[in-house]
Amino acid sequence: TNMSPRNALLPALLCLLTACGGVQNPFAPIQLALKNKKAADAIGLVEKMRKDSVLSTQPRLYAYGVEASRRLYEQENEKIYLKRSPDTTAFFNRLYSIFDYALLTERAEQQQDSARHKFRQEHALLLNNYYPNLTAASLYFFNLQKMSDAARFSKMAIEAQRSTLFAHQRANLSSNALAQHAQRYLFAQLHLKNYAECERYKDLAWTDTLRREQVLEALTIAADAQADSSRLLRYLRQGINAYPRNTFFFTHLSDYDFNRRRPDSVLFWVDLLLPEDTTNATLYLAQAIAYEHLGNDNLCIRAAHNLLRCDSTSIEAQYLLGRSYFRQAQRVELPTSINARSYSAAYRRRQQLYTLARPHLEAFRRLQPDKVSAWRPMLYEVYLKLNLGREFEEISQIEE
């Protein structure tokens, strides 16, 4: 018998419904794993389904990830509470997964462009409950010098707080704790030599005035490592102006200027800082070196004496004093005739300068015996000109 068109469609429709029924709930395996208290299996299924181009867009997939991670976290927490082979790293990593999947859920809901966010409130409440432990995790890894983990947890704390997940309620993270996360991220990345990453949360790290000095030092080191002169100079000048007694900033700035043969710039900063810190050996050392570069032996000698006054053990002061007196002695011009009227005064002046140079050069030699090429030529000349036979004979035996 002939079927009516309406009846002819029925088998096809039943087949379609049956086929649809087979895939009606793709998350059934995850639900079953959770029902059977196999949270680790559930996580594995979530990760497997993330590779599916259709399922990976579904917020519910990641919400299951949140739930499975929460259960695993509670299991680790129970081990710690009962002291049954607790694994602190595993405990904190389960915590991280809760936050990670919650953010993935929120992102998937955002991409669906729907005004209804089914999981937002529930997940925001959950994360707020766990935020203190996320902070504890970052600090835990930082103190253990596990900097990659410390940076990872601090980044999560900051990014979660910035997420639309907390669009309608405040994240359970104080502004001070947030700044400390930014600082730990900065210090961890500096330790790992990921210098470009040091800038990521710098403005946030800067908000904590108690550690601003250390933040500025870290940013300076990162800028220097990247050879970013513009940022380096900006941080150094900020540091000198804000923390004039912290020699870190001045030392780095003077090194920068010396490397570019700008001793006048060094002297500018020395003149600015010295009135506030007249016993700072670092300033006098830079001042002496700057005058030495400019060939101004008188001012170099004065600065080096001030340096010795502040630091009687300064090797650099001995060298600079010996070298400056030596150069002055060499610049004394003796008349060509021994009978010339000015010969006697010039000779006495030269001998006096060599005599002044001698103890400083000998002190430098004693303190730096391996720097033969630095002290031997000058001491050789000093002993020769002062007619010191024994000393001259001894130094003549030394090869550079």
Side-chain angles (χ1 to χ4, degrees), residues 214-227:
Q214 294 92 325
V215 167
L216 203 47
E217 286 182 7
L219 291 171
T220 298
I221 294 169
D224 193 19
Q226 294 177 91

Side-chain angles (χ1 to χ4, degrees), residues 96 137-156 180-194 197-198:
Y96 185 92
S138 171
L139 191 57
Y140 170 81
F141 288 119
F142 190 85
N143 289 336
L144 287 178
Q145 297 287 294
K146 293 184 176 181
M147 295 305 186
S148 292
D149 288 320
R152 184 164 60 95
F153 276 83
S154 280
K155 183 178 181 180
M156 176 59 77
Q180 288 175 8
H181 275 294
Q183 289 162 4
R184 277 196 291 276
Y185 185 83
L186 164 60
F187 299 144
Q189 296 296 359
L190 183 67
H191 180 88
L192 295 166
K193 298 183 179 180
N194 296 330
E197 277 298 308
C198 292

